[in-house]
Amino acid sequence: MDATVLTSAPRASFHHQARRRLLAGLILLLVLVVLMVYALGQGSYPLPPMMVLEALAGGPAATDPAAHVIWSIRLPRLLAALLAGMSLALAGAVMQSVLRNPLASPMTLGVSQGAAFGATCAIVLLGAGELNRLGPETVVVEQPYLVVGAALVGGLCTAAAILLIALLRQLRPEALVLAGIALGAFSSAGTMLVQYFASDTQAAATLFWTFGDLGKAGWREVGWLALVLAPLLVLLTRTGWQLNAMAWGEDSARALGVAVARLRLTVLAAGAVLAAVSTAFLGVIGFVGLIAPHLVRLIIGVDHRYLLPYAALAGAIVLLGADTLGRLIIAPVVLPVGAVTAMLGAPLLLVLLLRRGGR
Amino acid sequence: MLRIEALSIGHGGRTLLRGLELELPAGALLAVLGPNGAGKSTLIRTLAQLHPPQGGRVQLDGTPLDRLERSARARQVAYLPQQSRPAAVTVYEAVLLGRVPHLRWQAGEGDLALVDDILDHLGLAALAARRCTELSGGELQKVLIGRALAQDPRLLLLDEPVNHLDLANRLEVLALVQRTARERDLVTLVVLHDLNLALRFADRFLLLDGDGGHRTGDMTALTPEQIEQAYRVAVVRGELAGHPLFVPI
């Protein structure tokens, strides 16, 4: 008798829920791995899954063509998609939570556009590079670090402006998205103005930042993205309980011992860094940061201890899927991934909205 | 034991309460009364350290509350805001959230056992897996009280916990608060609009008049004159079916 009483204790439902969430995480991970192997095999030099795995196991030093294609061309692009997808989705998830607005994302807060504006300024005004159409993929950015640095500054300045507005005017967090939209529009207009006065080759180079493209990614970019993402993923996931408390309102969270203002500031800053870094290296990629967290909420609910890492996984899946689609759909032409995510993301968002009955 | 000394509170330059002196033993339930805008919520928020006082000291079991670090304070003081928009989490998760000030990273078996106990105590065990967004107002209020209890506090601050509940739920929730305060030896402050509910469930009252003044005493000592002075409504005190009550005239 007491055994049945114990298993039917309320906590049984909690354990059951935890198991279902772990299972959902494993499924997400499995989908990602399958997608990775598939994506590595696709392209102008197709490889069956077994050869992909062999080339991966053989290491980067192997000399056969499969190893070269995998290790020098496809793997850095794939890892960049993975890391940028994770960064943007994580940024979107935490922005949505601390601003309590389901529309918050790196794009709607203007952080991505700010980064693109920064890169454009560096290319045109500081003469950091130009695009020479010698071949299909010849980009000459003479000072890549200047461009990336300027993009970072642009993205972080936008985030700082939003935070400053929030602190000075005591704006309701919900209203901050409006400030973000205004700043994003300002950055976009600035980008257009600077492009208008640029030479043709410079304008072509700036285009690479106004629509995101994973073709820019090499091992160096992958390294930087990973270096930024890893600590912030841990830091943000550790705030899971506090973000759960925030879901009930600021006073409830404060009463539970959460330093609300500090949490909002650090989490938004971390999200801005994630979004700015991936935009700085790869250009503006929209909708991943908006869609991926919503997908995960549909699957596992709003417990941030799971939501944040799972949103990162979902972001990786969405961006890698979009990039693979963009590489294959009218091959050999490779579509910029930023355009593909927007084309896929907009209808997906509408479906989500309709399914949730407008809530 | 809650000890309040020379506490003054205000809102936007206006002083709502001047020089409050109050001692409340553990297990006592104090009804905070007064007209709209008299500062009842501000007082509760001040005690929860969510609003800075204009002056004075508040001690709980000899410890000044404003000296406590956030989590330590949240282990001593639980506060229920006037309105809570439910999050889309289960009842169990919502109550478990009260353990946050006690947690590092994972909820241990001890935390889960405590939540089980509380859900049983509140009669919510059957709803454990239900989403809070699907609860009725009375159920949600009980869940929030459950979260406050999960904090394992010494001081319980409830801001209008029964305001938008129907009659049955008002009686049930307040009976629950009363029983819990006594069983767990909590100092409990409840903001109430309904004087007759206060008469029924509270041990003591604190009546704010909105001009900085206040009256306090045993619930049985609350007089029609004090009420008329604070609310500007004439009342008489009577008794019906063994329950004292005030009726406006």
Side-chain angles (χ1 to χ4, degrees):
Chain A
M1 142 121 201
D2 48 30
T4 52
V5 168
L6 269 180
T7 49
S8 65
R11 89 180 86 158
S13 74
F14 183 69
H15 284 311
H16 177 66
Q17 191 185 31
R19 278 194 301 275
R20 279 211 339 233
R21 284 173 173 167
L22 279 180
L23 185 68
L26 285 176
I27 290 172
L28 279 176
L29 203 59
L30 192 71
V31 169
L32 181 60
V33 169
V34 169
L35 187 60
M36 282 166 72
V37 173
Y38 174 77
L40 283 175
Q42 298 302 310
S44 52
Y45 184 83
L47 292 167
M50 279 316 292
M51 281 188 70
V52 169
L53 295 176
E54 270 171 34
L56 284 176
T63 50
D64 57 303
H68 174 73
V69 166
I70 294 286
W71 283 94
S72 313
I73 301 169
R74 289 186 194 158
L75 197 55
R77 184 187 181 106
L78 172 127
L79 289 178
L82 229 66
L83 293 166
M86 286 182 154
S87 300
L88 292 169
L90 192 58
V94 295
M95 286 168 174
Q96 286 163 13
S97 294
V98 293
L99 299 182
R100 302 186 65 182
N101 190 321
L103 283 177
S105 75
M107 275 277 265
T108 42
L109 287 182
V111 175
S112 298
Q113 295 92 318
F117 184 41
T120 304
C121 286
I123 290 167
V124 178
L125 303 179
L126 304 175
E130 51 188 35
L131 181 87
N132 291 312
R133 280 240 173 258
L134 299 175
E137 298 238 338
T138 316
V139 194
V140 182
V141 175
E142 280 133 21
Q143 292 161 291
Y145 283 106
L146 184 58
V147 178
V148 167
L152 262 180
V153 169
L156 293 179
C157 279
T158 309
I162 291 172
L163 289 174
L164 204 66
I165 292 168
L167 287 177
L168 288 183
R169 304 299 310 177
Q170 300 284 315
L171 265 191
R172 284 163 56 80
E174 290 86 345
L176 283 181
V177 169
L178 294 178
I181 288 172
L183 288 169
F186 177 82
S187 292
S188 298
T191 303
M192 277 190 257
L193 271 183
V194 173
Q195 280 171 340
Y196 185 74
F197 291 107
S199 69
D200 286 354
T201 50
Q202 284 176 330
T206 62
L207 266 188
F208 265 61
W209 267 269
T210 42
F211 52 86
D213 183 14
L214 294 166
K216 291 190 271 291
W219 282 106
R220 188 181 57 195
E221 284 79 8
V222 167
W224 279 108
L225 286 171
L227 201 67
V228 173
L229 174 64
L232 290 181
L233 179 62
V234 175
L235 176 96
L236 289 173
T237 305
R238 281 182 65 92
T239 64
W241 279 114
Q242 292 164 330
L243 291 176
N244 285 348
M246 284 275 280
W248 289 83
E250 290 186 26
D251 273 355
S252 294
R254 281 199 195 96
L256 290 169
V258 176
V260 169
R262 198 173 66 200
L263 180 72
R264 180 168 286 148
L265 200 72
T266 51
V267 161
L268 273 184
V273 168
L274 284 169
V277 167
S278 64
T279 311
F281 284 115
L282 303 171
V284 176
I285 301 172
F287 272 101
V288 177
L290 191 62
I291 281 290
H294 285 301
L295 284 176
V296 175
R297 278 194 200 94
L298 274 184
I299 303 170
I300 63 141
V302 293
D303 187 341
H304 289 79
R305 295 174 301 143
Y306 297 87
L307 174 63
L308 297 186
Y310 287 13
L313 273 180
I317 291 171
V318 169
L319 192 51
L320 182 55
D323 184 47
T324 309
L325 196 67
R327 287 199 297 135
L328 297 182
I329 197 161
I330 47 168
V333 176
V334 177
L335 297 177
V337 72
V340 180
T341 53
M343 292 289 275
L344 292 179
L348 198 56
L349 187 67
L350 287 178
V351 170
L352 288 184
L353 267 174
L354 294 176
R355 271 195 48 160
R356 290 174 61 185
R359 280 201 64 225
Chain B
M1 154 91 87
L2 177 72
R3 184 196 296 266
I4 299 176
E5 290 171 343
L7 184 70
S8 293
I9 59 171
H11 210 41
R14 179 173 157 229
T15 298
L16 293 165
L17 174 60
R18 209 174 289 113
L20 174 65
E21 306 276 341
L22 188 69
E23 271 190 24
L24 270 182
L29 197 145
L30 175 92
V32 181
L33 309 171
N36 286 335
K40 304 185 294 296
S41 292
T42 311
L43 171 66
I44 292 283
R45 284 170 52 82
T46 305
L47 294 178
Q49 312 292 310
L50 298 174
H51 186 88
Q54 291 181 337
R57 281 169 303 281
V58 181
Q59 290 186 352
L60 184 64
D61 298 329
T63 313
L65 280 183
D66 57 354
R67 299 266 179 79
L68 288 175
E69 171 272 332
R70 287 170 201 280
S71 307
R73 192 189 67 229
R75 290 192 288 269
Q76 299 280 317
V77 183
Y79 160 75
L80 239 68
Q82 215 172 90
Q83 278 184 332
S84 290
R85 201 172 56 180
V89 299
T90 64
V91 166
Y92 197 95
E93 290 176 291
V95 174
L96 184 62
L97 208 51
R99 297 305 293 164
V100 163
H102 300 263
L103 293 178
R104 275 266 154 246
W105 171 237
Q106 276 296 351
E109 280 302 307
D111 298 307
L112 301 186
L114 186 76
V115 173
D116 278 359
D117 278 351
I118 289 168
L119 289 176
D120 277 335
H121 175 79
L122 301 180
L124 290 172
L127 298 180
R130 185 84 65 85
R131 283 202 177 209
C132 290
T133 42
E134 295 160 8
L135 298 178
S136 73
E139 289 164 341
L140 180 64
Q141 207 54 255
K142 280 193 266 181
V143 168
L144 295 175
I145 289 170
R147 171 191 302 161
L149 295 182
Q151 284 175 252
D152 199 13
R154 304 300 313 136
L155 174 62
L156 187 57
L157 303 167
L158 308 174
D159 195 354
E160 297 187 7
V162 295
N163 236 27
H164 38 269
L165 302 188
D166 62 31
L167 183 61
N169 274 307
R170 285 179 181 209
L171 295 174
E172 192 185 341
V173 166
L174 284 178
L176 189 73
V177 169
Q178 185 189 44
R179 183 158 57 92
T180 307
R182 286 184 187 155
E183 280 174 9
R184 303 192 177 211
D185 255 353
L186 306 178
V187 180
T188 309
L189 276 72
V190 185
V191 175
L192 288 175
H193 273 307
D194 187 328
L195 294 171
N196 293 326
L197 285 176
L199 280 174
R200 189 159 175 154
F201 292 104
D203 307 310
R204 315 219 6 217
F205 71 89
L206 171 65
L207 178 63
L208 309 182
D209 63 14
D211 293 322
H214 68 273
R215 305 275 183 158
T216 182
D218 282 340
M219 206 65 229
T220 49
L222 182 60
T223 64
E225 294 73 34
Q226 291 170 334
I227 289 173
E228 184 173 351
Q229 197 193 3
Y231 288 92
R232 315 211 185 284
V233 175
V235 297
V236 290
R237 185 172 173 139
E239 202 178 281
L240 202 61
H243 293 293
L245 61 131
F246 287 108
V247 181
I249 46 173

